[in-house]
Amino acid sequence: MTEITFTKMHGCGNDFVVLDCMEAQPAGLADIARNLCHRRFGVGADQLLTIKPSDTADFRMEIYNADGGEVEMCGNGIRCFAKYVYEHGLTRKQEIEVDTLAGIIRPRLKGDRVEVDMGRPVLEGRDIPVDADGRIVDRPLMVDGTEYTATCVSMGNPHCVLYVDDVDPLDLPRLGPRFEHHDFFPNRVNTEFVQVLAPDEVRMRVWERGAGETWACGTGASAVGVAGVLTGRTGKKITVHLIGGDLEIRWADDDRVYMTGPAQEVFQGSIRV
């Protein structure tokens, strides 16, 4: 067995096990993610984040879901990543470049919060990817015998945004997997269920592929900011209320999406795997 030192962090309740791999990387990160993220037999987390050197940016971030699958990006995760590398002395920069599978992402510390340039949304269907051409805006989608209207966006990872009257009564453990594994989404999908409160305010619950329902999703909130503009339901700057807290989303005139929210260290420890 190998002893691993870790840090537990969260952003709006979306929680992570963070591994500093700047000097050495343990083998079998997919298996380690499954073990450490298990809420009964491990540390417990939605995802595992690794901090690695990069030839093209200040750092590289790799992200593994609780099921061991590697994914492209995580908005709450990258805020925690930025907070960790600054507070643990790995950098003195308050704005860094992070190499991810979704490209270079730029988080910036703003007091006790972190603003992240999430990049430009991808709206072409095949590039999200979904099994259709063109923009997917309020498109009818049959799921488990019910017709929904879906708006799809990639923020480095695929999202399906659905608008509902009330997010509270939704049975996400039943609904979420139906969308995640639907044939329309060749790489599976993250699904956001959104209740509009005002043109600048929404409530959201999210089912993340490979993780289940999480208390927050930064890329998902960013996708909701874009979807609201595309469908005419909200403006270009909104507050997204999630189970774990609030995120501020702004789709700027330069076509880039900016997300601002908290990131917090919970504890440090070591575990044998």
Side-chain angles (χ1 to χ4, degrees):
M1 298 183 75
T2 302
E3 185 166 301
I4 292 177
T5 300
F6 67 88
T7 300
K8 178 73 180 286
M9 301 189 73
H10 80 88
C12 291
N14 189 190
D15 59 343
F16 309 96
V17 173
V18 182
L19 300 185
D20 183 345
C21 300
M22 291 295 290
E23 300 296 333
Q25 173 182 312
L29 284 171
D31 288 335
I32 289 172
R34 282 189 287 268
N35 290 331
L36 266 59
C37 291
H38 199 291
R39 296 195 182 276
R40 297 286 185 182
F41 302 112
V43 179
D46 294 319
Q47 291 173 319
L48 173 74
L49 307 180
T50 65
I51 301 168
K52 295 185 176 183
S54 171
D55 295 329
T56 58
D58 295 306
F59 301 96
R60 176 167 179 79
M61 177 174 75
E62 291 180 1
I63 312 160
Y64 294 85
N65 279 337
D67 67 357
E70 188 174 4
V71 294
E72 303 92 339
M73 241 299 283
C74 175
N76 291 313
I78 202 164
R79 293 202 317 278
C80 290
F81 186 103
K83 200 82 173 288
Y84 180 97
V85 297
Y86 184 79
E87 293 188 345
H88 286 257
L90 300 182
T91 184
R92 296 323 303 160
K93 296 181 181 179
Q94 295 204 351
E95 181 172 350
I96 60 173
E97 292 190 340
V98 183
D99 182 18
T100 75
L101 288 179
I104 302 296
I105 308 296
R106 296 171 179 85
R108 178 164 65 100
L109 296 177
K110 297 181 71 175
D112 62 350
R113 294 164 70 82
V114 182
E115 179 188 75
V116 183
D117 176 355
M118 301 291 288
R120 294 180 173 87
V122 175
L123 304 177
E124 171 58 39
R126 300 288 177 184
D127 296 331
I128 291 172
V130 300
D131 188 21
D133 297 312
R135 291 190 174 189
I136 312 302
V137 179
D138 277 343
R139 179 191 176 97
L141 184 67
M142 290 296 298
V143 177
D144 204 22
T146 300
E147 183 176 282
Y148 296 86
T149 54
T151 299
C152 297
V153 179
S154 173
M155 292 304 308
N157 54 0
H159 292 271
C160 174
V161 179
L162 309 166
Y163 290 92
V164 298
D165 293 333
D166 187 354
V167 296
D168 286 334
L170 296 174
D171 184 2
L172 256 61
R174 181 185 66 82
L175 278 176
R178 305 293 201 279
F179 284 91
E180 179 180 352
H181 299 285
H182 194 285
D183 290 342
F184 191 60
F185 306 109
N187 289 352
R188 299 188 293 163
V189 77
N190 305 286
T191 309
E192 287 75 39
F193 300 84
V194 182
Q195 175 184 348
V196 177
L197 303 177
D200 61 353
E201 188 178 14
V202 302
R203 296 180 64 208
M204 172 183 131
R205 290 175 64 189
V206 57
W207 182 270
E208 294 195 54
R209 58 177 179 167
E213 183 173 13
T214 59
W215 280 28
C217 177
T219 55
S222 300
V224 166
V226 173
V229 176
L230 294 178
T231 63
R233 290 179 171 90
T234 58
K236 300 191 78 170
K237 184 177 181 181
I238 63 171
T239 298
V240 181
H241 302 295
L242 303 121
I243 295 174
D246 294 347
L247 293 175
E248 306 296 329
I249 305 297
R250 176 170 57 94
W251 191 8
D253 292 339
D254 61 3
D255 195 36
R256 305 183 78 84
V257 178
Y258 296 87
M259 172 197 63
T260 303
Q264 184 174 342
E265 183 171 316
V266 184
F267 62 87
Q268 298 178 16
S270 61
I271 188 171
R272 290 186 177 275
V273 295

